[in-house]
Amino acid sequence: PLKVFIKCDDCSEPFTGYIVKAKGLYYYKCRTIGCKCNRSADKMHKLFISLLEKYTVKSEVISPLQYQLEYLYQQQNKENVEQELMLKKSLTEVQKNIDNIEESYFIKKEMPRETYDKFLFKYQSEKNNIIKQIESYQGKISNLEKYISSALTLSSKLSLVWSSSPVGIKEKLQKLIFPNGIYYNKQNEAFRTEKVNSIFAAIAVL
């Protein structure tokens, strides 16, 4: 499951996986000729599980972590919330403009059809653009409690989920936590991470 996902810290080449059929044992090795970085799958898997432990939380601290993560997210997205409020105010103004020209054209009969069509197109375009922007901001904060709760529940049993899952699930979980993969340093026999999913990174820090 770690093939390609792991990269060599010396040459940045992805690791490949192979089996020694005579022994029935699996190994990982760097693809670079002469790199001589060759490790047993069993050893690498145990090392990866140790890495996952850094992002694993105890069940008794899930509740306070839930509160703190929600608070951190709201603080980090304060500008987005304020921008969303401004957009909603603009949407109200645009809708008023649409109502006014409709009243002038349909009820008061004070506006020519050509003028009405021109302004309706203008205001409707503005309205659609504002709605799209509002939806993008709402998508960032909707279901926040649910997503953080799911992440914390998963984080409380990361090692167990990874070790007991089939290869396909293992690979999805790896990419969820470490989107860009991880690096293996053969001198230190340790993994190095460049990017961690923001929620799991926050969990580890807290």
Side-chain angles (χ1 to χ4, degrees):
L2 297 176
K3 65 182 185 294
V4 181
F5 178 77
I6 297 178
K7 299 178 181 66
C8 179
D9 206 22
D10 289 339
C11 61
S12 298
E13 279 295 306
F15 277 53
T16 187
Y18 70 97
I19 183 173
V20 177
K21 292 183 179 180
K23 298 180 180 179
L25 298 175
Y26 289 89
Y27 289 84
Y28 291 102
K29 70 174 181 179
C30 175
R31 292 178 177 177
T32 300
I33 297 173
C35 187
K36 296 180 180 178
C37 188
N38 191 19
R39 297 291 184 270
S40 75
D42 183 61
K43 182 176 182 178
M44 294 292 263
H45 292 173
K46 287 179 180 177
L47 193 60
F48 184 69
I49 287 173
S50 296
L51 176 63
L52 291 179
E53 292 293 341
K54 296 180 181 179
Y55 304 92
T56 301
V57 298
K58 294 179 180 179
S59 57
E60 60 265 28
V61 298
I62 286 180
S63 183
L65 275 176
Q66 172 89 27
Y67 175 85
Q68 187 64 18
L69 285 167
E70 287 180 26
Y71 173 77
L72 282 175
Y73 188 92
Q74 295 292 355
Q75 288 299 109
Q76 291 171 357
N77 289 274
K78 194 174 181 180
E79 290 184 6
N80 289 344
V81 174
E82 292 173 352
Q83 184 66 26
E84 184 184 344
L85 292 173
M86 291 178 61
L87 286 168
K88 286 180 176 178
K89 185 177 179 180
S90 298
L91 182 61
T92 300
E93 293 298 319
V94 171
Q95 186 59 54
K96 282 182 181 178
N97 290 334
I98 293 174
D99 293 341
N100 288 337
I101 64 169
E102 287 182 343
E103 181 181 354
S104 295
Y105 178 71
F106 290 106
I107 299 174
K108 296 182 178 180
K109 310 294 183 182
E110 296 174 348
M111 183 179 291
R113 179 59 186 260
E114 184 180 326
T115 305
Y116 168 75
D117 288 343
K118 182 178 74 173
F119 280 107
L120 180 63
F121 177 79
K122 175 178 180 294
Y123 292 138
Q124 197 63 53
S125 296
E126 289 179 9
K127 180 180 178 180
N128 292 337
N129 184 48
I130 292 171
I131 289 173
K132 285 182 181 178
Q133 291 183 67
I134 290 174
E135 288 175 348
S136 70
Y137 283 111
Q138 288 177 334
K140 293 176 182 177
I141 60 174
S142 63
N143 295 321
L144 175 63
E145 183 178 346
K146 173 186 171 185
Y147 288 133
I148 291 178
S149 177
S150 296
L152 284 168
T153 301
L154 176 60
S155 180
S156 69
K157 48 188 176 182
L158 275 180
S159 301
L160 176 62
V161 172
W162 188 84
S163 60
S164 63
S165 296
V167 171
I169 301 299
K170 279 184 169 73
E171 291 174 339
K172 288 181 180 179
L173 183 59
Q174 292 160 197
K175 291 177 182 177
L176 173 67
I177 304 170
F178 310 107
N180 295 342
I182 57 179
Y183 289 83
Y184 177 73
N185 186 293
K186 62 184 179 183
Q187 285 79 26
N188 299 330
E189 293 192 349
F191 288 128
R192 176 176 65 84
T193 59
E194 284 192 340
K195 183 178 180 181
V196 182
N197 178 301
S198 58
I199 288 185
F200 289 98
I203 288 172
V205 171
L206 292 170

